[in-house]
Amino acid sequence: MSLVYITHHDENIVGCEHDFEKAQGPRESIFVYKNPVVERAAKYARKLRERLNEEDKKLSVILQADGTRVLTEAKKSAHRTMGCAHTPIDPPCAYLRKSQGIKWRRENTHKCPKMPPMPPLPPPGSGGKKPTMVPNFIKRNRMCAGKTIPCPPPPRYVDTPVGARHDLLNSGLVPQFICRKDFGKVPIYLKKTKRMLADMNAVCAKEQARLLELCRGIKGFTRASVQSSGPPQVPGMRVMEQAERNEILEGLRLSLTEMTKQYQSMSLLIDSIAKRQRKSKLESDLRQVEQDILLIDTTPIIYVSEY
């Protein structure tokens, strides 16, 4: 016994069985007598056979004329046997071009079932009973107006013969301020301010006492010497003069003015990292300059190293 191995073929055998069935011609019906039950069953079998034949002929991928490949729900592949004799290959000019790839589209075979029509809507006014008495809006409005409590008019006074009216409140003719509970008393915000100043003075006194304790080791340093002859002399340090202080303050204020001008001339829209970094740097520099100006203004004695 010998085996035959097919190594090459050049014929397309797709659909050979269908061509053979077509060549045989139509089959004769086995139902030669008419029976309603048999006819109904035959009709159902015929429709089922047609649907199955249509599904059997349908392929899983259908290539349309425009090159689009429609993906269906069929399980049958394009080649049931050994495939096409010659596989079509696209020319080289069709590669790496825009909109030249494989286009897929799923087949839409959904059919909405027929729904029964909606019942007609009832005519307007047929659901409820018609009122036997027409409402009297004039009478109802008159009754509502009679039950409404009127607003009391504001107190006024007349100061001219022709009857010029003015509000009595806030005019000075009514003792509405001297009868208040807090009239003639210190306001609450002033009490809070005094309390805050007292706390700050206590903190300053403690800090001065601490500085005096630290400076007791300096020769000739006493409280009387501080009050009479000024700040004590520290070895290797000198007290900043007023001219030097004014010069430093003037330079700091000029820098503050220039940086404020740069900050105000920035764009309102901060949409980049560089702008955000520049804004944060200017804000930190402005804050530092303001702190330096405040420190020099509020510190009466500043020591500067002589080295």
Side-chain angles (χ1 to χ4, degrees):
M1 182 177 179
S2 61
L3 298 177
V4 179
Y5 293 95
I6 299 176
T7 58
H8 178 73
H9 73 95
D10 57 352
E11 59 180 353
N12 193 354
I13 58 176
V14 176
C16 291
E17 60 274 12
H18 299 295
D19 297 339
F20 179 73
E21 291 177 359
K22 289 180 181 179
Q24 289 182 353
R27 298 179 181 179
E28 296 182 357
S29 178
I30 60 175
F31 305 105
V32 294
Y33 58 91
K34 292 185 178 181
N35 191 340
V37 179
V38 176
E39 288 290 337
R40 197 180 306 113
K43 185 178 180 181
Y44 175 77
R46 194 181 307 111
K47 289 184 178 180
L48 180 62
R49 190 182 304 109
E50 291 177 358
R51 183 170 60 84
L52 293 177
N53 291 338
E54 184 179 356
E55 291 181 359
D56 185 63
K57 292 178 183 178
K58 185 182 292 186
L59 303 177
S60 60
V61 179
I62 301 175
L63 182 61
Q64 295 186 348
D66 57 350
T68 305
R69 301 187 181 186
V70 181
L71 185 63
T72 63
E73 296 180 356
K75 304 299 182 182
K76 182 179 178 181
S77 60
H79 309 293
R80 294 183 61 181
T81 56
M82 291 183 292
C84 297
H86 299 283
T87 303
I89 301 176
D90 295 336
C93 60
Y95 290 98
L96 300 178
R97 297 183 64 182
K98 186 177 180 180
S99 302
Q100 293 295 328
I102 300 176
K103 300 178 182 179
W104 293 90
R105 182 171 60 84
R106 186 170 292 277
E107 185 183 18
N108 186 11
T109 58
H110 174 72
K111 294 182 180 180
C112 297
K114 294 184 179 180
M115 301 296 294
M118 294 183 61
L121 296 176
S126 61
K129 297 181 180 180
K130 294 184 179 180
T132 57
M133 184 181 298
V134 180
N136 191 350
F137 295 101
I138 299 176
K139 182 179 179 180
R140 188 182 63 179
N141 293 342
R142 186 168 61 248
M143 293 174 61
C144 292
K147 294 179 181 179
T148 304
I149 300 175
C151 296
R156 295 187 178 95
Y157 69 95
V158 180
D159 59 350
T160 58
V162 296
R165 298 183 304 171
H166 302 280
D167 291 337
L168 188 59
L169 296 177
N170 300 329
S171 63
L173 301 177
V174 180
Q176 59 178 354
F177 296 107
I178 61 175
C179 296
R180 292 172 57 179
K181 295 181 179 180
D182 56 350
F183 179 76
K185 297 181 180 180
V186 180
I188 298 177
Y189 74 94
L190 289 180
K191 293 182 179 179
K192 291 183 179 180
T193 305
K194 288 182 179 180
R195 194 180 305 113
M196 183 182 63
L197 291 176
D199 296 341
M200 292 178 63
N201 291 333
V203 172
C204 291
K206 290 182 180 179
E207 187 67 20
Q208 289 179 0
R210 187 181 67 84
L211 292 176
L212 289 174
E213 290 290 336
L214 292 176
C215 297
R216 278 183 180 178
I218 302 175
K219 185 177 180 180
F221 176 79
T222 57
R223 187 180 297 272
S225 63
V226 172
Q227 295 177 357
S228 60
S229 62
Q233 297 294 331
V234 181
M237 307 287 287
R238 63 178 180 84
V239 180
M240 182 182 294
E241 298 179 357
Q242 188 65 30
E244 186 178 359
R245 182 194 297 267
N246 295 338
E247 184 180 358
I248 294 174
L249 284 174
E250 185 178 357
L252 288 175
R253 290 193 178 97
L254 288 176
S255 301
L256 180 63
T257 304
E258 184 179 356
M259 284 190 291
T260 305
K261 186 177 180 181
Q262 293 180 5
Y263 184 78
Q264 292 177 352
S265 62
M266 291 183 63
S267 60
L268 297 177
L269 181 61
I270 308 298
D271 55 350
S272 62
I273 300 177
K275 290 182 180 180
R276 195 178 298 111
Q277 292 178 352
R278 184 167 180 266
K279 179 184 177 182
S280 60
K281 185 177 182 303
L282 284 175
E283 289 177 351
S284 61
D285 293 346
L286 284 170
R287 196 178 301 110
Q288 184 64 36
V289 171
E290 289 176 354
Q291 291 178 0
D292 295 343
I293 293 175
L294 181 63
L295 177 64
I296 295 177
D297 280 339
T298 57
T299 306
I301 302 173
I302 299 177
Y303 288 95
V304 182
S305 177
E306 294 181 352
Y307 301 103

